[in-house]
Amino acid sequence: MKKIVVLLVLTILFSCKEDKEARKPVKQVTVEENLTDMGKNLGKYVPFKLTSDLSVLTDNERKMLPLLIKAADKMNALFWFEAYGDKEALMAKITNEDTKKFVEINYGPWDRLDGNKPFVEGIGEKPLGANYYPKEMTKDEFEAFSSDNKSSLYTFIRRNDDGSLKTIWYHKQFESQVKEVSDLLIEASKLADNAGLKNYLELRAKAFLDDEYQASDLAWMDMKTNTLDIVIGPIETYEDQLFGNKASHEAYVLIKDQVWSKKLEKFAQFLPELQKGLPVDELYKKEIPGTDSDLNAYDVVYYAGDCNSGGKTIAINLPNDEEVQLQKGTRRLQLKNAMRAKFDKIMLPISEIIIDESQRSYVTFDAFFANTMFHEVAHGLGIKNTINNKGTVRNSLKELASALEEGKADILGLYMVQQLHEKGEIEGDIKDYMTTFMAGIFRSVRFGASSAHGKANMIRFNFFKEKEAFTKNEDGTYKVNYDKMQTAMGELSNIILTLQGNGDYNGVAKLVAEKGIISEDLQKDLDMLSEQNIPVDVIFEQGLKALGLEQ
């Protein structure tokens, strides 16, 4: 053990446009690092190099790639500010290199795979609102605050000199940074051979400067034939666990796998038919999913910001804008190389320990890929607007919306697999998909209570246990009861879709409180996996050097 005195300063990370309220210093505290735990913490992650076949790119696309990676990399600093505040003030006071590495992985001093538990003594609990709101602001104060844009995805809440609340647009808070990103995207657009990609990059560049993202979202939906792609901007709202309002900056740089994508393109056409067959009353499936949806496979060559923190995303379903979804659907991007990393290094080792020996052969990469893919497709099913005039599901369920939506996508993804398998559209044994799904619960529940995906998996695990969808053997392994799992799947789908359609915040809170927990017995199983040195997630070797492009 050693003690380090740290002056914690809630300093805004950026230049002259900083909010003066955030510059006020707070009391000096003693920070104590448990250095003996750092090696164990770092062991939760296994490294994996992100590469791809660059020969599929044109000369201009190869020139664009460094520009897109540079633009993506700038999302790291923006997300650091959103998640924590002043990174440099924190890092300058930590001398142990392992601790610094773990801080970098978590974008702050809270362990994202352990319920956001602070791993540096002297650092308090992570604010539910991260750095989007004043730390001491109450929900009642926010609700009483009169502002047209207080719940916008793209505003910070800060205080005036008199203590009253105010909003600051992202493009004002990050003025110099977003100008740099915009310039890089424009520079890249000039090299774009693909008209759709060129249009998207131009519109996305503009969006960074005014926080008007819908036009670029629509343009991104219209892209069909480009090989090189980038997802960039303030996108997901997982980090805001106070209200679920604020979007976090992130980026993925992607190269399309044309062969695998060709295999997948047919599935989006089944969305309207599958929507009609959902196991819920008609009122909750009255919306018609957009049919302009895209389903493709990619190699991801760069992660940055929110998607690079803690547990890493292996599939994308965007845009989140409900108007865009109803008009055009969404694009579902399967990150095949990252998915393979998690399957080989985490899923298979878990199944060898936790799944009944007679069922282990049913855990396959093809089933893992399909389950993950249809999870993303299933985001397009169900309902986006409540049936009782409470507004959108996302706004009605506030900070609970993300966990329930992830739970919906998981369970409806399996429903889609089962339906398409019956139609003969998916090959293989249905037991592959269900057993792999069960093993996947153990993989994802290890993300912890701070993760929307972790909460969703806990709810499903406890619901399945209650419905006897699996049994636990005397040797500690789990055996899937396939018929009962199928019944439980339908019942849980009905519950989630009804809660969403009703905008039932209290009902969701009750579900999370009762079933979004890790029991003592389950925790013992998870501890056993850790004792067997099975990593929880991956960290990436990435960038120009990993791609062999460093000059």
Side-chain angles (χ1 to χ4, degrees), residues 317-334:
N317 176 60
L318 292 171
N320 287 328
D321 187 319
E322 291 88 354
E323 293 181 13
V324 176
Q325 288 184 8
L326 290 173
Q327 181 180 338
K328 287 182 174 288
T330 59
R331 285 179 60 194
R332 285 88 172 191
L333 292 72
Q334 314 307 306

Side-chain angles (χ1 to χ4, degrees), residues 312-533:
K312 310 303 187 296
T313 303
I314 54 176
I316 306 169
N317 176 60
L318 292 171
N320 287 328
D321 187 319
E322 291 88 354
E323 293 181 13
V324 176
Q325 288 184 8
L326 290 173
Q327 181 180 338
K328 287 182 174 288
T330 59
R331 285 179 60 194
R332 285 88 172 191
L333 292 72
Q334 314 307 306
L335 311 183
K336 187 164 63 70
N337 56 345
M339 206 178 293
R340 173 59 80 173
K342 293 205 183 191
F343 182 79
D344 289 347
K345 295 178 178 292
I346 301 172
M347 273 282 284
L348 279 181
I350 285 175
S351 69
E352 289 297 317
I353 293 173
I354 215 76
I355 298 297
D356 183 272
E357 186 176 4
S358 67
Q359 295 183 340
R360 287 174 193 164
S361 63
Y362 295 128
V363 180
T364 68
F365 178 73
D366 285 352
F368 180 58
F369 185 92
N371 288 344
T372 305
M373 175 178 68
F374 286 112
H375 165 103
E376 299 306 329
V377 176
H379 278 299
L381 296 178
I383 199 163
K384 305 298 178 187
N385 298 290
T386 58
I387 66 171
N388 47 15
N389 299 315
K390 288 186 179 180
T392 65
V393 171
R394 182 174 61 185
N395 288 338
S396 297
L397 300 184
K398 301 178 183 178
E399 79 280 4
L400 301 176
S402 293
L404 196 67
E405 176 63 22
E406 294 306 325
K408 181 202 81 173
D410 279 334
I411 203 70
L412 290 189
L414 187 59
Y415 158 79
M416 292 181 71
V417 166
Q418 180 253 329
Q419 292 291 306
L420 291 170
H421 188 270
E422 286 184 2
K423 290 169 62 69
E425 297 293 342
I426 296 179
E427 298 177 352
D429 193 327
I430 191 63
K431 291 179 181 178
D432 291 357
Y433 302 96
M434 299 179 82
T435 311
T436 302
F437 187 86
M438 183 67 195
I441 294 177
F442 285 96
R443 182 186 71 85
S444 296
V445 80
R446 298 173 81 204
F447 294 154
S450 65
S451 157
H453 295 81
K455 284 191 182 78
N457 278 274
M458 289 178 226
I459 290 170
R460 188 166 53 261
F461 178 88
N462 288 316
F463 188 86
F464 278 7
K465 181 179 180 180
E466 181 182 301
K467 299 297 180 179
E468 299 180 341
F470 59 80
T471 53
K472 189 172 184 180
N473 301 323
E474 289 185 4
D475 64 359
T477 60
Y478 288 78
K479 189 171 186 177
V480 179
N481 301 322
Y482 298 107
D483 290 341
K484 289 184 177 181
M485 179 179 277
Q486 189 164 318
T487 300
M489 174 186 72
E491 292 179 3
L492 184 56
S493 297
N494 183 284
I495 291 170
I496 291 176
L497 291 168
T498 303
L499 288 170
Q500 286 188 320
N502 291 342
D504 186 355
Y505 179 89
N506 291 333
V508 179
K510 184 173 184 288
L511 180 67
V512 172
E514 292 178 353
K515 292 192 168 57
I517 56 174
I518 299 179
S519 67
E520 183 177 342
D521 187 52
L522 176 58
Q523 187 59 57
K524 289 179 180 178
D525 292 331
L526 300 181
D527 291 342
M528 176 183 62
L529 296 177
S530 297
E531 290 165 5
Q532 294 292 324
N533 296 317

Side-chain angles (χ1 to χ4, degrees), residues 4-8 27-31 122-123:
I4 304 169
V5 177
V6 175
L7 179 61
L8 287 181
K27 66 179 181 179
Q28 196 174 54
V29 297
T30 299
V31 176
I123 297 292

Side-chain angles (χ1 to χ4, degrees), residues 128-398:
L128 291 176
N131 195 36
Y132 299 107
Y133 309 90
K135 303 297 185 290
E136 77 290 354
M137 186 199 75
T138 64
K139 284 190 172 184
D140 288 343
E141 185 180 10
F142 179 81
E143 297 292 356
F145 174 35
S146 178
S147 169
D148 290 339
N149 55 45
K150 70 177 184 180
S151 295
S152 168
L153 293 166
Y154 313 121
T155 58
F156 288 100
I157 308 299
R158 290 294 184 261
R159 292 195 184 278
N160 292 301
D161 291 338
D162 64 2
S164 60
L165 298 177
K166 65 179 179 179
T167 61
I168 302 177
W169 288 100
Y170 284 7
H171 72 273
K172 291 296 185 183
Q173 180 68 54
F174 300 137
E175 190 165 8
S176 62
Q177 289 75 24
V178 297
K179 178 63 166 61
E180 293 175 357
V181 175
S182 180
D183 289 346
L184 285 165
L185 295 180
I186 289 295
E187 188 177 352
S189 73
K190 294 176 182 177
L191 292 166
D193 302 311
N194 183 279
L197 178 59
K198 179 180 179 66
N199 184 46
Y200 164 65
L201 291 174
E202 290 174 346
L203 290 173
R204 204 65 172 180
K206 180 179 181 298
F208 269 96
L209 303 180
D210 60 15
D211 289 318
E212 296 288 343
Y213 284 91
Q214 190 174 87
S216 60
D217 281 345
L218 288 166
W220 188 70
M221 283 298 302
D222 289 337
M223 296 195 309
K224 302 293 183 186
T225 58
N226 54 300
T227 299
L228 190 60
D229 204 340
I230 183 170
V231 174
I232 187 168
I235 297 171
E236 302 290 2
T237 60
Y238 303 128
E239 194 70 11
D240 177 6
Q241 296 190 11
L242 187 64
F243 290 106
N245 284 338
K246 305 305 177 185
S248 299
H249 284 83
E250 66 180 357
Y252 309 79
V253 180
L254 306 152
I255 296 174
K256 189 173 183 178
D257 186 319
Q258 300 286 0
V259 175
W260 273 69
S261 295
K262 187 68 177 175
K263 299 176 183 177
L264 307 180
E265 63 183 17
K266 66 177 182 179
F267 290 116
Q269 66 182 300
F270 293 106
L271 275 176
E273 177 184 344
L274 291 166
Q275 175 84 343
K276 291 178 183 177
L278 290 176
V280 69
D281 291 343
E282 291 297 326
L283 278 175
Y284 301 93
K285 51 185 177 182
K286 61 183 180 181
E287 294 175 357
I288 301 173
T291 55
D292 196 25
S293 299
D294 207 10
L295 188 59
N296 291 293
Y298 293 80
D299 281 338
V300 55
V301 297
Y302 202 80
Y303 283 76
D306 186 20
C307 62
N308 194 43
S309 64
K312 310 303 187 296
T313 303
I314 54 176
I316 306 169
N317 176 60
L318 292 171
N320 287 328
D321 187 319
E322 291 88 354
E323 293 181 13
V324 176
Q325 288 184 8
L326 290 173
Q327 181 180 338
K328 287 182 174 288
T330 59
R331 285 179 60 194
R332 285 88 172 191
L333 292 72
Q334 314 307 306
L335 311 183
K336 187 164 63 70
N337 56 345
M339 206 178 293
R340 173 59 80 173
K342 293 205 183 191
F343 182 79
D344 289 347
K345 295 178 178 292
I346 301 172
M347 273 282 284
L348 279 181
I350 285 175
S351 69
E352 289 297 317
I353 293 173
I354 215 76
I355 298 297
D356 183 272
E357 186 176 4
S358 67
Q359 295 183 340
R360 287 174 193 164
S361 63
Y362 295 128
V363 180
T364 68
F365 178 73
D366 285 352
F368 180 58
F369 185 92
N371 288 344
T372 305
M373 175 178 68
F374 286 112
H375 165 103
E376 299 306 329
V377 176
H379 278 299
L381 296 178
I383 199 163
K384 305 298 178 187
N385 298 290
T386 58
I387 66 171
N388 47 15
N389 299 315
K390 288 186 179 180
T392 65
V393 171
R394 182 174 61 185
N395 288 338
S396 297
L397 300 184
K398 301 178 183 178

